[in-house]
Amino acid sequence: KQEVTQIPAALSVPEGENLVLNCSFTDSAIYNLQWFRQDPGKGLTSLLLIQSSQREQTSGRLNASLDKSSGRSTLYIAASQPGDSATYLCAVLHGGSQGNLIFGKGTKLSVKP
Amino acid sequence: EAGVTQSPTHLIKTRGQQATLRCSPISGHTSVYWYQQALGLGLQFLLWYDEGEERNRGNFPPRFSGRQFPNYSSELNVNALELEDSALYLCASSLGVGRDTGELFFGEGSRLTVL
């Protein structure tokens, strides 16, 4: 059974710091991995999608990497800003999951001015 | 271009009642997914529809049901509401079977409160 774990559960950093959020999954037979952002009480905003054949994706100050063999992904946020404060969710689409995106519990990020 | 839209934003019901939630996918998307986000439980997969057919179902009782209409919009019905059904219900869409990159786009959610 595929399980997704995100560490740490919460993170507080001063503005301007570079930071790394971690995601691990137990079964490497994934179709893709997606990073989302969720503001309190709101829906999910797609940040980056990494297909199983890719090693990383970049969008602006965000960079996500994927290492299938070790079952890990990292989301790197450069020069953090208070507006980056949110919960970041990692989700994997398992090879045979038929549309069932499996989510981690998220990392709650707080960026202090 | 409009994103995934959900209605209502908030819904308050009492135990035993029925709730209906609605979702319109991004234009051109044929797959619609429903997820439940209950406090402390994370996001859990409920249902997946594509081209009007139910493609997969998560580990939820039969009182959770839904359908997809010819215009690809979808509704989720929850019968015989229980207190633990209180949650944020999120709808997502993707391009659809055979065309998909696997990227899901989510709406803002419908907050269901059961009293």
Side-chain angles (χ1 to χ4, degrees):
Chain A
K1 178 188 172 187
Q2 177 74 271
E3 293 182 359
V4 179
T5 304
Q6 292 186 248
I7 295 173
L11 182 63
S12 182
V13 300
E15 181 177 4
E17 267 202 15
N18 302 323
L19 57 101
V20 173
L21 306 181
N22 296 294
C23 171
S24 62
F25 46 94
T26 54
D27 189 335
S28 62
I30 64 170
Y31 182 67
N32 64 37
L33 183 145
Q34 200 166 352
W35 283 93
F36 295 91
R37 168 191 172 133
Q38 186 175 32
D39 292 291
K42 299 292 188 180
L44 274 61
T45 300
S46 177
L47 297 174
L48 289 164
L49 170 73
I50 310 177
Q51 300 292 354
S52 63
S53 59
Q54 297 174 322
R55 297 281 294 183
E56 66 176 334
Q57 282 286 342
T58 298
S59 176
R61 293 183 294 110
L62 305 179
N63 175 276
S65 67
L66 174 63
D67 184 343
K68 273 180 53 178
S69 61
S70 67
R72 292 183 182 179
S73 176
T74 60
L75 178 67
Y76 175 82
I77 303 176
S80 58
Q81 303 170 358
D84 294 331
S85 298
T87 295
Y88 290 80
L89 294 158
C90 160
V92 299
L93 188 62
H94 191 242
S97 66
Q98 292 276 308
N100 182 358
L101 204 57
I102 299 170
F103 283 83
K105 293 284 181 68
T107 294
K108 186 174 182 179
L109 173 64
S110 177
V111 181
K112 305 294 187 184
Chain B
E1 180 182 309
V4 177
T5 58
Q6 293 187 242
S7 64
T9 306
H10 295 90
L11 188 61
I12 299 175
K13 294 285 187 178
T14 56
R15 285 177 60 188
Q17 286 189 314
Q18 179 195 40
T20 298
L21 309 176
R22 296 179 178 83
C23 172
S24 292
I26 291 171
S27 177
H29 286 193
T30 63
S31 276
V32 171
Y33 310 79
W34 287 96
Y35 284 82
Q36 182 196 65
Q37 189 176 34
L39 199 61
L41 291 181
L43 277 138
Q44 298 187 72
F45 170 72
L46 269 164
L47 290 160
W48 170 32
Y49 293 96
D50 185 76
E51 295 283 0
E53 294 188 10
E54 183 181 297
R55 293 287 182 152
N56 196 14
R57 180 184 182 84
N59 189 25
F60 280 84
R63 58 192 186 81
F64 286 85
S65 65
R67 54 179 170 167
Q68 186 178 34
F69 299 100
N71 66 353
Y72 305 115
S73 67
S74 175
E75 68 179 28
L76 174 69
N77 294 294
V78 188
N79 293 318
L81 285 165
E82 300 179 1
L83 296 177
E84 53 265 33
D85 297 333
S86 295
L88 182 66
Y89 289 84
L90 291 164
C91 174
S93 73
S94 69
L95 284 169
V97 174
R99 303 183 298 140
D100 235 313
T101 61
E103 186 171 14
L104 268 63
F105 298 87
F106 281 79
E108 289 295 314
S110 293
R111 171 76 61 186
L112 172 64
T113 302
V114 183
L115 303 176

